[in-house]
Coordinates of all heavy atoms in Angstrom, one line a residue:
M208 N 21.4 8.0 -34.5 CA 22.1 8.9 -33.7 C 23.6 8.5 -33.6 O 23.9 7.3 -33.4 CB 21.5 9.0 -32.3 CG 22.0 10.2 -31.5 SD 21.1 10.3 -30.0 CE 20.0 11.7 -30.4
A209 N 24.5 9.4 -33.9 CA 25.9 9.0 -33.9 C 26.4 8.6 -32.5 O 25.9 9.2 -31.5 CB 26.7 10.2 -34.3
E210 N 27.3 7.7 -32.4 CA 27.8 7.2 -31.2 C 28.5 8.4 -30.4 O 29.2 9.2 -31.0 CB 28.8 6.1 -31.4 CG 29.3 5.4 -30.1 CD 30.1 4.2 -30.4 OE1 29.9 3.5 -31.4 OE2 31.0 4.0 -29.6
G211 N 28.3 8.5 -29.2 CA 28.9 9.5 -28.4 C 28.1 10.8 -28.3 O 28.5 11.7 -27.6
T212 N 27.0 10.9 -29.0 CA 26.2 12.1 -28.9 C 25.1 12.0 -27.9 O 24.4 13.0 -27.6 CB 25.6 12.5 -30.3 OG1 24.7 11.4 -30.7 CG2 26.7 12.7 -31.3
I213 N 24.9 10.9 -27.3 CA 23.8 10.7 -26.3 C 24.3 11.2 -25.0 O 25.4 10.8 -24.5 CB 23.4 9.2 -26.1 CG1 22.8 8.7 -27.5 CG2 22.4 9.1 -25.0 CD1 22.5 7.2 -27.5
Q214 N 23.6 12.1 -24.4 CA 23.9 12.7 -23.1 C 23.0 12.1 -22.0 O 21.8 12.1 -22.3 CB 23.9 14.2 -23.0 CG 24.9 14.8 -23.9 CD 24.8 16.3 -23.8 OE1 23.9 16.9 -23.2 NE2 25.8 17.0 -24.4
Q215 N 23.5 11.7 -20.9 CA 22.6 11.2 -19.9 C 22.7 12.1 -18.7 O 23.8 12.6 -18.3 CB 23.1 9.8 -19.4 CG 23.0 8.7 -20.5 CD 23.4 7.4 -20.0 OE1 23.7 7.2 -18.9 NE2 23.3 6.4 -20.9
H216 N 21.5 12.4 -18.2 CA 21.4 13.4 -17.0 C 20.8 12.6 -15.9 O 19.8 11.9 -16.0 CB 20.5 14.6 -17.4 CG 21.1 15.3 -18.6 ND1 22.1 16.2 -18.5 CD2 20.7 15.3 -19.9 CE1 22.4 16.7 -19.7 NE2 21.5 16.1 -20.6
P217 N 21.4 12.8 -14.7 CA 20.8 12.1 -13.5 C 19.4 12.6 -13.3 O 19.1 13.8 -13.4 CB 21.7 12.5 -12.4 CG 22.6 13.5 -12.9 CD 22.5 13.6 -14.3
L218 N 18.5 11.7 -12.9 CA 17.1 12.1 -12.6 C 17.0 12.6 -11.1 O 17.8 12.2 -10.3 CB 16.2 10.9 -12.7 CG 16.2 10.2 -14.0 CD1 15.4 8.9 -14.0 CD2 15.6 11.1 -15.1
A219 N 16.1 13.5 -10.9 CA 15.9 14.1 -9.6 C 15.5 12.9 -8.6 O 14.7 12.0 -9.0 CB 14.7 15.1 -9.6
G220 N 16.2 12.8 -7.5 CA 15.9 11.7 -6.6 C 16.6 10.5 -6.9 O 16.5 9.5 -6.2
W221 N 17.5 10.5 -7.9 CA 18.2 9.3 -8.3 C 19.3 9.0 -7.2 O 20.2 9.8 -7.0 CB 18.9 9.5 -9.7 CG 19.6 8.4 -10.2 CD1 21.0 8.2 -10.2 CD2 19.1 7.2 -10.9 NE1 21.3 7.0 -10.8 CE2 20.1 6.4 -11.2 CE3 17.8 6.8 -11.2 CZ2 20.0 5.2 -11.9 CZ3 17.6 5.6 -11.8 CH2 18.7 4.8 -12.2
D222 N 19.2 7.8 -6.6 CA 20.1 7.5 -5.5 C 20.9 6.3 -5.7 O 21.4 5.7 -4.8 CB 19.3 7.4 -4.2 CG 18.2 6.3 -4.3 OD1 18.0 5.7 -5.4 OD2 17.6 5.9 -3.3
K223 N 21.1 6.0 -7.0 CA 21.9 4.8 -7.3 C 23.3 5.3 -7.9 O 23.4 6.3 -8.5 CB 21.2 4.0 -8.4 CG 19.9 3.5 -7.8 CD 19.0 2.8 -8.9 CE 17.7 2.4 -8.2 NZ 16.6 2.8 -9.0
P224 N 24.3 4.5 -7.5 CA 25.6 4.9 -8.0 C 25.9 4.6 -9.4 O 25.1 3.9 -10.1 CB 26.5 3.9 -7.1 CG 25.7 2.7 -6.9 CD 24.3 3.3 -6.8
D225 N 26.9 5.3 -10.0 CA 27.3 5.0 -11.4 C 28.2 3.8 -11.3 O 29.4 3.9 -11.0 CB 28.0 6.3 -11.9 CG 28.4 6.1 -13.3 OD1 27.7 5.3 -14.0 OD2 29.3 6.9 -13.8
L226 N 27.6 2.6 -11.6 CA 28.3 1.4 -11.4 C 29.2 1.1 -12.6 O 28.9 1.4 -13.7 CB 27.3 0.2 -11.3 CG 26.4 0.2 -10.1 CD1 25.4 -0.9 -10.2 CD2 27.1 0.2 -8.8
D227 N 30.4 0.5 -12.3 CA 31.3 0.0 -13.4 C 30.8 -1.4 -13.8 O 31.0 -2.3 -13.0 CB 32.7 0.0 -12.9 CG 33.7 -0.5 -13.9 OD1 33.3 -0.7 -15.1 OD2 34.9 -0.7 -13.6
L228 N 30.2 -1.5 -15.0 CA 29.6 -2.7 -15.4 C 30.6 -3.5 -16.4 O 30.2 -4.5 -16.9 CB 28.3 -2.5 -16.1 CG 27.2 -1.8 -15.2 CD1 26.0 -1.5 -16.0 CD2 26.9 -2.7 -14.0
S229 N 31.8 -2.9 -16.6 CA 32.7 -3.5 -17.6 C 33.1 -4.9 -17.3 O 33.3 -5.7 -18.2 CB 33.9 -2.6 -17.8 OG 34.6 -2.5 -16.5
G230 N 33.2 -5.3 -16.0 CA 33.5 -6.6 -15.6 C 32.4 -7.5 -15.1 O 32.6 -8.5 -14.5
A231 N 31.2 -7.0 -15.3 CA 30.0 -7.7 -14.7 C 29.8 -9.1 -15.4 O 30.1 -9.3 -16.5 CB 28.7 -6.9 -15.0
D232 N 29.3 -10.0 -14.6 CA 29.0 -11.4 -15.0 C 27.5 -11.4 -15.5 O 26.6 -11.6 -14.6 CB 29.2 -12.3 -13.9 CG 28.9 -13.8 -14.2 OD1 28.9 -14.1 -15.4 OD2 28.7 -14.6 -13.3
W233 N 27.3 -11.1 -16.7 CA 25.9 -11.0 -17.3 C 25.4 -12.4 -17.5 O 26.0 -13.3 -18.0 CB 26.0 -10.2 -18.6 CG 26.3 -8.8 -18.4 CD1 27.5 -8.2 -18.6 CD2 25.5 -7.8 -18.0 NE1 27.5 -6.9 -18.3 CE2 26.2 -6.6 -17.9 CE3 24.1 -7.7 -17.6 CZ2 25.7 -5.4 -17.5 CZ3 23.6 -6.5 -17.2 CH2 24.4 -5.3 -17.2
R234 N 24.1 -12.5 -17.1 CA 23.4 -13.8 -17.2 C 22.1 -13.7 -18.0 O 21.4 -12.7 -17.8 CB 23.1 -14.4 -15.8 CG 24.3 -14.5 -15.0 CD 24.0 -14.9 -13.6 NE 25.2 -15.0 -12.7 CZ 25.3 -15.5 -11.6 NH1 24.2 -16.1 -11.0 NH2 26.4 -15.5 -10.9
S235 N 21.9 -14.6 -18.8 CA 20.6 -14.7 -19.6 C 19.6 -15.6 -18.9 O 20.0 -16.2 -17.9 CB 20.9 -15.2 -21.0 OG 21.7 -14.3 -21.7
S236 N 18.5 -15.8 -19.5 CA 17.5 -16.8 -19.0 C 18.2 -18.2 -18.9 O 19.2 -18.4 -19.6 CB 16.3 -16.9 -19.9 OG 16.6 -17.4 -21.1
S237 N 17.6 -19.1 -18.2 CA 18.2 -20.4 -18.1 C 18.4 -21.1 -19.4 O 19.2 -22.0 -19.6 CB 17.3 -21.3 -17.1 OG 16.0 -21.4 -17.7
E238 N 17.6 -20.7 -20.4 CA 17.7 -21.3 -21.7 C 18.7 -20.5 -22.6 O 19.0 -21.0 -23.7 CB 16.3 -21.4 -22.4 CG 15.4 -22.4 -21.6 CD 14.0 -22.0 -21.8 OE1 13.7 -21.1 -22.6 OE2 13.1 -22.7 -21.2
G239 N 19.1 -19.4 -22.2 CA 20.0 -18.6 -22.9 C 19.5 -17.9 -24.2 O 20.2 -17.5 -25.0
R240 N 18.1 -17.9 -24.3 CA 17.5 -17.4 -25.5 C 16.9 -16.0 -25.4 O 16.4 -15.4 -26.3 CB 16.4 -18.3 -26.0 CG 16.9 -19.7 -26.3 CD 15.8 -20.5 -26.9 NE 14.6 -20.4 -26.1 CZ 13.7 -21.3 -25.9 NH1 13.8 -22.5 -26.4 NH2 12.6 -21.1 -25.2
G241 N 17.0 -15.4 -24.2 CA 16.3 -14.2 -23.9 C 17.1 -13.0 -24.4 O 18.3 -13.1 -24.7
D242 N 16.4 -11.9 -24.6 CA 17.0 -10.7 -25.1 C 17.5 -9.8 -23.9 O 18.1 -8.8 -24.1 CB 16.0 -9.8 -25.9 CG 15.7 -10.5 -27.2 OD1 16.6 -11.1 -27.8 OD2 14.6 -10.3 -27.7
V243 N 17.2 -10.3 -22.7 CA 17.5 -9.5 -21.5 C 18.6 -10.3 -20.7 O 18.5 -11.5 -20.6 CB 16.2 -9.3 -20.6 CG1 16.6 -8.7 -19.3 CG2 15.2 -8.5 -21.3
Q244 N 19.5 -9.5 -20.2 CA 20.6 -10.1 -19.3 C 20.6 -9.3 -18.0 O 20.3 -8.1 -18.0 CB 21.9 -10.0 -20.0 CG 22.1 -10.8 -21.2 CD 23.5 -10.7 -21.8 OE1 24.0 -9.6 -22.0 NE2 24.1 -11.8 -22.2
I245 N 20.9 -10.0 -16.9 CA 21.1 -9.3 -15.7 C 22.5 -9.6 -15.1 O 23.1 -10.6 -15.4 CB 20.0 -9.7 -14.6 CG1 20.0 -11.2 -14.3 CG2 18.6 -9.3 -15.2 CD1 19.2 -11.6 -13.1
A246 N 22.9 -8.7 -14.2 CA 24.1 -8.9 -13.5 C 24.0 -8.3 -12.1 O 23.3 -7.3 -11.9 CB 25.3 -8.2 -14.2
F247 N 24.6 -9.0 -11.1 CA 24.5 -8.5 -9.7 C 25.9 -7.8 -9.4 O 26.9 -8.4 -9.5 CB 24.3 -9.7 -8.8 CG 23.0 -10.4 -9.0 CD1 23.0 -11.5 -9.9 CD2 21.9 -10.0 -8.4 CE1 21.8 -12.1 -10.1 CE2 20.7 -10.6 -8.6 CZ 20.6 -11.7 -9.5
V248 N 25.8 -6.5 -9.2 CA 27.0 -5.7 -9.1 C 26.9 -4.8 -7.8 O 25.9 -4.0 -7.8 CB 27.2 -4.8 -10.3 CG1 28.5 -4.0 -10.2 CG2 27.3 -5.7 -11.6
E249 N 27.8 -4.9 -6.9 CA 27.9 -4.0 -5.8 C 26.6 -3.9 -5.0 O 26.2 -2.8 -4.6 CB 28.4 -2.7 -6.2 CG 29.8 -2.7 -6.8 CD 30.3 -1.4 -7.2 OE1 29.9 -0.3 -6.6 OE2 31.1 -1.3 -8.2
G250 N 25.8 -4.9 -4.9 CA 24.5 -4.9 -4.1 C 23.3 -4.4 -5.0 O 22.3 -4.2 -4.4
F251 N 23.5 -4.2 -6.2 CA 22.5 -3.7 -7.1 C 22.3 -4.8 -8.2 O 23.1 -5.7 -8.4 CB 22.8 -2.4 -7.8 CG 22.8 -1.2 -6.8 CD1 23.9 -0.9 -6.1 CD2 21.6 -0.5 -6.6 CE1 23.9 0.1 -5.2 CE2 21.6 0.6 -5.7 CZ 22.8 0.9 -5.0
I252 N 21.2 -4.7 -8.9 CA 20.9 -5.5 -10.1 C 20.9 -4.7 -11.3 O 20.1 -3.7 -11.4 CB 19.6 -6.3 -9.9 CG1 19.6 -7.2 -8.7 CG2 19.3 -7.2 -11.1 CD1 19.3 -6.6 -7.4
A253 N 21.7 -5.0 -12.3 CA 21.7 -4.3 -13.6 C 21.0 -5.2 -14.6 O 21.2 -6.4 -14.6 CB 23.1 -4.0 -14.0
M254 N 20.3 -4.6 -15.5 CA 19.6 -5.3 -16.6 C 19.9 -4.6 -17.9 O 19.8 -3.3 -17.9 CB 18.1 -5.3 -16.3 CG 17.3 -6.1 -17.4 SD 15.6 -6.5 -17.0 CE 14.9 -5.0 -16.3
R255 N 20.2 -5.3 -18.9 CA 20.5 -4.8 -20.2 C 19.9 -5.6 -21.3 O 19.5 -6.7 -21.2 CB 22.0 -4.6 -20.4 CG 22.7 -6.0 -20.7 CD 24.1 -5.8 -20.9 NE 24.8 -7.1 -21.2 CZ 26.1 -7.2 -21.4 NH1 26.9 -6.2 -21.3 NH2 26.6 -8.4 -21.7
N256 N 19.9 -5.0 -22.5 CA 19.4 -5.6 -23.7 C 20.6 -6.4 -24.3 O 21.6 -5.8 -24.7 CB 18.9 -4.5 -24.7 CG 18.5 -5.1 -26.1 OD1 18.8 -6.2 -26.4 ND2 17.8 -4.3 -26.8
A257 N 20.5 -7.7 -24.4 CA 21.6 -8.6 -24.8 C 21.9 -8.3 -26.3 O 23.1 -8.4 -26.7 CB 21.3 -10.0 -24.6
G258 N 21.0 -7.9 -27.1 CA 21.2 -7.6 -28.5 C 22.0 -6.3 -28.7 O 22.5 -6.0 -29.7
R259 N 21.9 -5.4 -27.7 CA 22.6 -4.1 -27.8 C 23.3 -3.8 -26.4 O 22.9 -2.9 -25.7 CB 21.6 -3.0 -28.1 CG 21.0 -3.2 -29.4 CD 20.3 -2.0 -30.0 NE 21.4 -0.9 -30.1 CZ 21.1 0.4 -30.1 NH1 19.8 0.8 -29.9 NH2 22.0 1.3 -30.2
P260 N 24.3 -4.6 -26.1 CA 25.0 -4.5 -24.8 C 25.6 -3.2 -24.5 O 25.9 -2.8 -23.4 CB 26.0 -5.6 -24.8 CG 26.2 -6.0 -26.2 CD 24.9 -5.7 -26.9
E261 N 25.9 -2.4 -25.6 CA 26.5 -1.1 -25.4 C 25.4 0.0 -24.9 O 25.8 1.1 -24.5 CB 27.1 -0.6 -26.7 CG 26.2 -0.2 -27.8 CD 25.6 -1.4 -28.6 OE1 25.9 -2.6 -28.3 OE2 24.7 -1.1 -29.4
S262 N 24.2 -0.3 -25.1 CA 23.1 0.6 -24.7 C 23.1 0.7 -23.1 O 23.6 -0.2 -22.4 CB 21.8 0.2 -25.2 OG 21.4 -1.1 -24.7
P263 N 22.5 1.8 -22.6 CA 22.4 1.9 -21.1 C 21.7 0.8 -20.4 O 20.8 0.2 -21.0 CB 21.6 3.2 -20.9 CG 21.7 3.9 -22.2 CD 21.8 2.9 -23.3
S264 N 22.2 0.5 -19.2 CA 21.5 -0.6 -18.4 C 20.6 0.0 -17.4 O 20.8 1.2 -17.0 CB 22.6 -1.4 -17.7 OG 23.5 -2.0 -18.6
L265 N 19.6 -0.7 -17.0 CA 18.7 -0.3 -16.0 C 19.3 -0.8 -14.7 O 19.8 -1.9 -14.6 CB 17.3 -0.9 -16.1 CG 16.5 -0.5 -17.4 CD1 15.2 -1.3 -17.5 CD2 16.3 1.0 -17.4
I266 N 19.2 0.0 -13.6 CA 19.8 -0.4 -12.3 C 18.7 -0.4 -11.3 O 17.9 0.5 -11.2 CB 20.9 0.6 -11.8 CG1 21.9 0.9 -12.9 CG2 21.5 0.2 -10.5 CD1 22.7 -0.4 -13.3
F267 N 18.6 -1.5 -10.6 CA 17.6 -1.8 -9.6 C 18.2 -2.0 -8.2 O 19.2 -2.6 -8.1 CB 16.7 -3.0 -9.9 CG 16.0 -3.0 -11.2 CD1 16.5 -3.4 -12.4 CD2 14.7 -2.5 -11.2 CE1 15.8 -3.4 -13.6 CE2 14.0 -2.4 -12.4 CZ 14.5 -2.9 -13.6
T268 N 17.5 -1.5 -7.2 CA 17.9 -1.9 -5.8 C 17.3 -3.3 -5.6 O 16.4 -3.7 -6.4 CB 17.3 -0.9 -4.8 OG1 15.9 -1.1 -4.8 CG2 17.7 0.5 -5.0
P269 N 17.8 -4.0 -4.6 CA 17.2 -5.3 -4.3 C 15.7 -5.3 -4.1 O 14.9 -6.2 -4.5 CB 17.9 -5.8 -3.1 CG 19.3 -5.1 -3.2 CD 19.0 -3.8 -3.7
A270 N 15.2 -4.2 -3.4 CA 13.7 -4.1 -3.2 C 13.0 -3.9 -4.5 O 11.9 -4.5 -4.7 CB 13.4 -3.0 -2.2
E271 N 13.5 -3.0 -5.4 CA 12.9 -2.8 -6.7 C 12.9 -4.1 -7.5 O 11.9 -4.4 -8.2 CB 13.6 -1.7 -7.4 CG 13.5 -0.3 -6.8 CD 14.4 0.7 -7.4 OE1 15.5 0.3 -7.9 OE2 14.1 1.9 -7.3
W272 N 14.0 -4.8 -7.5 CA 14.1 -6.0 -8.3 C 13.1 -7.1 -7.8 O 12.4 -7.7 -8.5 CB 15.5 -6.6 -8.2 CG 15.7 -7.8 -9.1 CD1 15.8 -9.1 -8.6 CD2 15.7 -7.9 -10.5 NE1 15.9 -10.0 -9.7 CE2 15.8 -9.2 -10.8 CE3 15.6 -6.9 -11.5 CZ2 15.9 -9.7 -12.1 CZ3 15.6 -7.4 -12.8 CH2 15.8 -8.7 -13.1
G273 N 13.0 -7.2 -6.4 CA 12.0 -8.1 -5.8 C 10.6 -7.8 -6.3 O 9.8 -8.7 -6.6
A274 N 10.2 -6.5 -6.3 CA 8.9 -6.1 -6.7 C 8.7 -6.4 -8.1 O 7.6 -6.8 -8.5 CB 8.7 -4.6 -6.4
F275 N 9.7 -6.2 -9.0 CA 9.6 -6.5 -10.4 C 9.4 -8.0 -10.6 O 8.5 -8.4 -11.4 CB 10.8 -6.0 -11.1 CG 10.9 -6.4 -12.6 CD1 10.1 -5.8 -13.5 CD2 11.8 -7.4 -12.9 CE1 10.2 -6.2 -14.9 CE2 11.9 -7.8 -14.3 CZ 11.1 -7.3 -15.2
V276 N 10.2 -8.8 -10.0 CA 10.1 -10.2 -10.2 C 8.7 -10.7 -9.7 O 8.1 -11.5 -10.3 CB 11.3 -11.0 -9.5 CG1 11.0 -12.5 -9.4 CG2 12.6 -10.6 -10.2
H277 N 8.3 -10.2 -8.5 CA 7.0 -10.6 -8.0 C 5.9 -10.3 -9.0 O 5.0 -11.1 -9.3 CB 6.8 -10.0 -6.6 CG 5.4 -10.3 -6.1 ND1 5.1 -11.5 -5.5 CD2 4.3 -9.5 -6.0 CE1 3.8 -11.4 -5.1 NE2 3.3 -10.3 -5.4
G278 N 5.9 -9.0 -9.5 CA 4.9 -8.6 -10.5 C 4.9 -9.5 -11.7 O 3.9 -9.8 -12.3
A279 N 6.1 -9.8 -12.2 CA 6.2 -10.7 -13.4 C 5.6 -12.0 -13.1 O 4.9 -12.6 -14.0 CB 7.7 -10.8 -13.8
R280 N 5.9 -12.6 -12.0 CA 5.4 -13.9 -11.6 C 3.9 -13.9 -11.5 O 3.2 -14.9 -11.7 CB 6.0 -14.4 -10.4 CG 7.4 -14.9 -10.5 CD 8.1 -15.4 -9.3 NE 9.4 -15.8 -9.5 CZ 10.3 -15.9 -8.6 NH1 10.1 -15.6 -7.3 NH2 11.6 -16.3 -8.9
E281 N 3.3 -12.8 -11.1 CA 1.9 -12.7 -10.9 C 1.2 -12.3 -12.2 O -0.1 -12.1 -12.2 CB 1.6 -11.6 -9.8 CG 2.1 -12.1 -8.4 CD 1.3 -13.3 -7.9 OE1 0.1 -13.3 -8.0 OE2 2.0 -14.2 -7.4
G282 N 1.9 -12.1 -13.3 CA 1.3 -11.8 -14.6 C 1.0 -10.3 -14.8 O 0.3 -9.9 -15.7
E283 N 1.6 -9.4 -13.9 CA 1.3 -8.0 -14.0 C 1.7 -7.4 -15.4 O 1.2 -6.4 -15.8 CB 2.1 -7.3 -12.9 CG 1.9 -5.8 -12.8 CD 2.6 -5.2 -11.6 OE1 2.9 -5.9 -10.6 OE2 2.8 -4.0 -11.7
F284 N 2.7 -8.0 -16.0 CA 3.2 -7.5 -17.3 C 2.8 -8.3 -18.5 O 3.4 -8.1 -19.6 CB 4.8 -7.4 -17.2 CG 5.2 -6.7 -15.9 CD1 5.9 -7.4 -15.0 CD2 5.0 -5.3 -15.7 CE1 6.4 -6.7 -13.8 CE2 5.4 -4.7 -14.6 CZ 6.1 -5.4 -13.6
D285 N 1.9 -9.2 -18.3 CA 1.4 -10.0 -19.4 C 0.6 -9.2 -20.4 O -0.4 -8.6 -20.1 CB 0.5 -11.1 -18.9 CG 0.1 -12.1 -19.9 OD1 0.5 -12.0 -21.1 OD2 -0.6 -13.1 -19.6
L286 N 1.1 -9.1 -21.6 CA 0.5 -8.2 -22.6 C -0.3 -9.0 -23.6 O -0.8 -8.5 -24.6 CB 1.6 -7.5 -23.4 CG 2.5 -6.6 -22.5 CD1 3.6 -5.9 -23.4 CD2 1.6 -5.5 -21.9
T287 N -0.6 -10.3 -23.4 CA -1.4 -11.1 -24.3 C -2.8 -11.0 -24.0 O -3.3 -10.5 -23.0 CB -1.0 -12.6 -24.2 OG1 -1.2 -13.1 -22.9 CG2 0.5 -12.7 -24.6

């Protein structure tokens, strides 16, 4: 798909701001080998694909992020 042709539409019930992530301090895993990066911006948590940083980021509230981290620690997303 050509750059600039992707249109994003807000989802019904979407209550998160359109954050400016251009100056975000992106962090990888402690070993720096992960494909996922996170940044804490204006009270929200942004997550992006480190291999394609220009792609859209996921935005989480602190409660959503806490539930995600808890689920990951409990093995909820283990696909093995």
Side-chain angles (χ1 to χ4, degrees):
M208 191 172 260
E210 187 174 328
T212 61
I213 298 173
Q214 293 182 350
Q215 295 183 2
H216 302 283
L218 300 173
W221 184 256
D222 58 351
K223 297 175 184 129
D225 186 19
L226 299 175
D227 178 8
L228 301 175
S229 61
D232 180 19
W233 293 99
R234 301 174 186 195
S235 296
S236 69
S237 60
E238 297 156 1
R240 299 184 314 212
D242 290 329
V243 173
Q244 294 178 315
I245 62 166
F247 299 92
V248 180
E249 298 178 29
F251 292 88
I252 298 86
M254 181 169 42
R255 72 178 184 183
N256 179 343
R259 298 197 60 207
E261 71 283 356
S262 62
S264 298
L265 299 174
I266 307 298
F267 297 91
T268 65
E271 291 168 335
W272 183 253
F275 171 75
V276 170
H277 177 74
R280 287 181 177 155
E281 295 294 316
E283 183 176 337
F284 310 112
D285 186 2
L286 301 177
T287 60

